[in-house]
Amino acid sequence: MEQRLLGKTGFKIAPVVLGGNVFGWTIDEKRSFEILDAWVDAGFNAVDTADIYSAWVNGNKGGESETIIGHWLQTRPDKRDKILIFTKGGGDFGDNKRKGLAAGYIRLAVEASLKRLNIEAIDLYQSHFPDESVSDEETLGAYKDLMKEGKIKAIGASNFNAEQLAHALKISEEKGLPAYQTLQPEYNLYDRDSYDGALRELCIKKGLGVITYFSLASGFLSGKYHSKADLDKSPRGKGIEKYLTERGMHIIAALEKTAQKHNAKPAEVALAWLIAREGVTAPIASATNLQQLQSLQKAATLKLNASDIMLLDKASAPAREEATTMA
């Protein structure tokens, strides 16, 4: 399996990161264990989660995904050296208490994640969302202490825009504080505006590792959805309606044409486009069964040529005018 440097963290990762958001949400612990076992056995070596996963599910409190990963590691201690654990903190659990990037809260959040994950150190700890109520100096100072204590090894940012990330990096340099070494943005063939441009250029310039989320646009880029009539195919259907535009259909057509050429699936091509994209280290993608995991494995080895990428770039160019949502 190809290995890529994750920015300046010192970590090398396979070109796809497993998304842990489905653990304790759409798949139970037993199935999660099967996916994690197969993931490592296939040569992949990173999983991304967050402390709030999956607080949005009725009956859940948050922490379910980390807890499942922790149980998996507890029963398979030999796997710890084979997988990097990425998690995030600062997201809102929904109780108006547990959220934000204040120093005191970060310490509590890290300790809670360590306990749930059943590990001594988190490989990559990410600020889940920017917190304008707290200074970067305070947040990064807390990370400095936690890194010194050996509880986290590297830090990253998630959902930061170019201005927010640039300011945080500036504070790190001026104050001698740890710097964010990674970014986790929403980015895929359809959703390109928020990362392409100044943010992507900053990440390339500063050498940040970039792991993208919603890499398949909530499943739209799988090619299963061509009209509103297809939205009932998945629990995520309602969130996919916004993609049913003229531009969305151009993207699907380009994916299907490229997939046919490579004897692949549209989702595999969509991930391969991200893998080939300058400024992206690895897309995050989840799997709820072994067939989907095998598809991720194929995506990791699928090589697109220049004409493939040109076709996909043209179809997904953000400059294309959005049309009215299709019937």
Side-chain angles (χ1 to χ4, degrees), residues 102-124:
Y105 178 69
I106 287 174
R107 175 167 289 279
L108 292 173
V110 167
E111 295 286 2
S113 288
L114 286 169
K115 184 176 181 179
R116 285 190 291 263
L117 288 164
N118 192 44
I119 56 178
E120 295 183 356
I122 295 164
D123 296 307
L124 175 66

Side-chain angles (χ1 to χ4, degrees), residues 1-17 39 43-47 80-86 123-124 153-154 182 209 211 281-282:
M1 182 69 68
E2 175 194 357
Q3 298 284 302
R4 297 177 163 198
L5 284 171
L6 182 60
K8 299 174 183 177
T9 63
F11 299 136
K12 289 184 177 181
I13 64 171
V16 181
V17 174
W39 186 250
F44 293 98
N45 67 333
V47 58
R80 179 63 185 104
D81 292 336
K82 298 179 180 179
I83 194 160
L84 296 165
I85 306 296
F86 305 162
D123 296 307
L124 175 66
K153 297 180 181 179
T182 67
I211 52 176
T281 309

